[in-house]
Amino acid sequence: MVTVAIIGKTNVGKTTFFNAATLLNAEISSYPFTTREPNEGAAYVCDVCVCRELGVKDNPQNSACIEGWRYIPIRLLDLPGLIKDAWRGRGLGTRFLSVIGQADALIHIVDASGSVDEEGRLTKPGSGNPVQDVLDIEMEVERWMADIILRNRQLIAREASSSSLEEAVSKVLSGIKAAPSHVERALIKADLEDRPIELWDIDEAVRFSATLLPLIKPILIVANKMDLPTAEENLEMLVNFFNDRLVAPCSAEAELILRRAEKMGLLHYTPGQEKFLLREEARLTPEQWRALDYVEKRVMARWLRTGIQQALNTVVFKLLRMNMVYPVADESRYSDNHGNILPDVHLLPDGSTPLDLARTVHTRLAESYIMAIDAKTGMRLPKEYKLRHRDVIKIVTQPRARPKR
Ligand SMILES: Nc1nc2c(ncn2[C@@H]2O[C@H](COP(=O)(O)OP(=O)(O)OP(=O)(O)O)[C@@H](O)[C@H]2O)c(=O)[nH]1
Ligand SMILES: [Mg+2]
């Protein structure tokens, strides 16, 4: 399953984002370092389902279809907060960073309202510097990676003499899934491919890590707390400064309010949509009224959406370039063997073939693979066909041999 980890300075709203996306109840507070152990939960990414295009009523099994939108589960990890100089042991230090090794991509949440001070405490909105916060926190991750490399310099040099530098570095960084091809690209980009690793100093190791990090873990910057007025100017600053990266605005608190109110049956709200509608029968307390009025005025009327769903979708569909692919057993009815219409959808990286889809569904399907059919056109697909977003695919397999009597 696609795994996304949330990183960021303490108190920026990581757990609020996590709870809003997973509807879990991990502890949130205005104190720094509230989260002391990583949290894990299921969140969803969504896009238009093929059911309407095909004119069928689907009954999803591994995902959900809500008003023509297909929601697919992903794994979300919420990490304890970082702070500048965490590598020296400030705050909770960097001991939870190894968790990012499990992630395919990172969401880097920053407090766009500038309400978190140097020590990670909440302070007057507008006094913090979100651009500096992003740089500081990414520097902590890079320092942590650089430290692993420097501590293992002799080992890497020994290994490299019998294989290659990229193989040896990749082995030491296997915990964060750095493939030799990533390491090779980063060595060239950082202009370090000819420099003996025994001689690397801290600046060189950090330069290499900073080049490698986005290659192995694409990072979305999420500008949170957009409901606070000071966030608008800072968002512009973030977008201008990080002009070659993606920055997504959001209000995690607004999303949490809406999803909890929806769960309590007070309103209709589909994550990612522009509107929420109060249920006629809903009896709101004055406090609930105030909270929903705040969300309407400060978030929906201004930004159209809370931004949580868009952030998750951007990570999976834009940064990781995943495609939604629907495997079916009966290509004329778009169903599985039990008659479920469009039962499953899988997220596969761009460039995947029908055989990759077969492997994702079941090893047996891959082992007995003969060919694939595009269920929308009925056409047989070439072996090297690159699956496209929203393809519906029938995998044709060899019939199973009957056991001899
Ligand atoms: N105004 C506003 N406040 C928010 C938003 N998201 C989170 N907060 C507040 O920010 C504070 C910190 O939220 P948390 O979710 O605990 O932050 P965290 O990043 O997980 O913090 P640590 O676990 O301590 O690192 C809480 O007081 C939240 O209510 C938002 O979108 N808008
Ligand atoms: Mg937290």
Side-chain angles (χ1 to χ4, degrees), residues 104-166:
D104 299 299
L106 305 176
I107 284 183
H108 183 168
I109 300 193
V110 61
D111 177 342
S113 70
S115 331
V116 182
D117 73 8
E118 288 262 295
E119 302 299 317
R121 291 175 302 229
L122 287 187
T123 173
K124 195 166 111 358
S127 51
N129 180 345
V131 167
Q132 195 57 48
D133 286 347
V134 173
L135 297 173
D136 287 348
I137 297 309
E138 290 187 1
M139 177 57 108
E140 293 307 317
V141 181
E142 290 152 15
R143 265 279 345 184
W144 169 74
M145 288 165 65
D147 204 45
I148 299 175
I149 295 168
L150 291 183
R151 269 191 284 118
N152 289 285
R153 265 180 302 192
Q154 302 308 331
L155 177 75
I156 296 173
R158 260 201 319 278
E159 285 265 345
S161 60
S162 59
S163 56
S164 64
L165 183 57
E166 51 272 21

Side-chain angles (χ1 to χ4, degrees), residues 46-53 68-70 324 326 389-390:
C46 72
D47 199 1
V48 176
C49 182
V50 291
C51 64
R52 292 205 175 152
E53 171 191 340
W69 292 81
R70 190 56 86 105
M324 281 164 65
Y326 301 71
H389 191 50
R390 306 172 77 235

Side-chain angles (χ1 to χ4, degrees), residues 15 27 35 78:
T15 304
E27 190 185 353
T35 307
D78 167 35

